[in-house]
Amino acid sequence: MEYIKPLQSIYSLYERIKTNDQQCPHVLERLKALEKLSLFILQKESEQISDDLNEALGKLNKVLLSADELIRKFTEAFELTRAMKSNDYKSEFETLNKSLTDAFVTLSAALHAHQRKMLDKQETRLSEQENMLSEQKVMLKWQKKKMAETGRKLAEQDRKLAEQDRKMAEQDRKFAEQERKLGKQEEMLQKVETKLACESRGNCRIL
């Protein structure tokens, strides 16, 4: 995995420098800082690592490989002579320290820019979500208003239907009353017709 290369280099350097931290001034301190920063970055998903971070990790990897070569050369020389002093490699270690410091600054700046970019994206997404929520609230308010209006119209329709039912019931009552009266009238007419028929025949009984 490409992103693990700088970390692997750091661990390789640790093994070489453990017994030589006095001869390699400040290098171990720089490496620990770079390890902490690299671990933080490598915890992210690969698609979350920006191009700038990827480039900074690549530069760091090159610096660490150069540091590995220098420390290996220093360690081998020290083991052979047992009299090697850090002053013999002072200039090279100063250059290494500067390179490690520059790599840390570059990686930190890239990480800061990446985090700023991610924060801006999150703020933009949050703003969009807030706008959508605001629009949804407006839509919900409009829907509630429409529902209230529809409810009012339905209530009015129910009232009119109830009034129509009442009127129809009243009409049914009147029709029933008229039918009752018509029934009585028909009964009376039938009696009159019967009486007239009897009188015309002259055989009617007195009712």
Side-chain angles (χ1 to χ4, degrees):
M1 296 175 62
E2 183 178 357
Y3 295 127
I4 303 298
K5 288 181 181 178
L7 192 57
Q8 291 174 335
S9 297
I10 288 176
Y11 286 141
S12 175
L13 289 175
Y14 271 168
E15 293 301 319
R16 295 183 182 280
I17 206 172
K18 279 180 180 178
T19 58
N20 298 287
D21 56 327
Q22 295 298 322
Q23 287 77 16
C24 305
H26 308 300
V27 173
L28 185 60
E29 180 181 345
R30 301 289 189 277
L31 290 176
K32 286 181 178 179
L34 284 167
E35 179 202 28
K36 184 177 180 180
L37 187 58
S38 297
L39 281 173
F40 177 79
I41 294 173
L42 293 174
Q43 286 175 354
K44 301 179 180 296
E45 297 292 337
S46 59
E47 62 270 12
Q48 292 180 337
I49 298 180
S50 65
D51 293 339
D52 290 340
L53 273 176
N54 188 25
E55 183 179 353
L57 286 171
K59 290 180 179 179
L60 172 61
N61 183 257
K62 292 179 181 179
V63 172
L64 292 173
L65 291 175
S66 298
D68 182 67
E69 183 179 355
L70 173 61
I71 294 172
R72 183 174 62 253
K73 182 172 64 174
F74 174 82
T75 302
E76 290 173 354
F78 179 80
E79 290 175 349
L80 286 174
T81 63
R82 295 294 176 180
M84 184 70 64
K85 296 182 179 179
S86 60
N87 288 335
D88 297 327
Y89 283 83
K90 182 177 180 180
S91 176
E92 293 183 69
F93 275 114
E94 286 178 352
T95 301
L96 173 59
N97 277 329
K98 184 177 183 303
S99 297
L100 290 173
T101 300
D102 290 344
F104 181 83
V105 171
T106 300
L107 197 57
S108 297
L111 178 60
H112 178 74
H114 172 75
Q115 290 175 330
R116 179 70 258 180
K117 185 177 180 180
M118 294 299 294
L119 181 60
D120 289 342
K121 286 184 178 180
Q122 290 177 351
E123 289 177 350
T124 299
R125 190 178 296 111
L126 179 61
S127 178
E128 291 174 351
Q129 290 175 346
E130 288 177 348
N131 289 336
M132 289 179 61
L133 181 60
S134 178
E135 292 175 358
Q136 289 175 350
K137 286 182 178 179
V138 172
M139 181 63 68
L140 181 60
K141 185 177 180 180
W142 179 81
Q143 289 176 343
K144 286 182 177 180
K145 182 179 179 181
K146 293 294 291 183
M147 289 177 65
E149 180 67 17
T150 301
R152 187 189 65 78
K153 290 181 178 179
L154 288 173
E156 180 66 16
Q157 289 177 352
D158 289 342
R159 187 190 65 78
K160 290 181 179 180
L161 287 173
E163 180 66 17
Q164 289 176 354
D165 289 342
R166 187 189 65 78
K167 290 181 179 180
M168 289 180 66
E170 181 66 17
Q171 289 176 350
D172 290 341
R173 188 188 65 78
K174 289 180 179 180
F175 286 152
E177 181 66 19
Q178 289 176 354
E179 287 178 352
R180 186 183 64 79
K181 289 180 179 180
L182 286 173
K184 286 185 177 182
Q185 289 176 355
E186 288 178 355
E187 184 180 352
M188 291 178 64
L189 286 173
Q190 187 176 5
K191 288 181 179 181
V192 171
E193 289 176 354
T194 302
K195 184 178 180 181
L196 290 174
C198 290
E199 289 177 351
S200 64
R201 291 194 300 268
N203 60 352
C204 292
R205 292 178 298 173
I206 299 175
L207 298 177

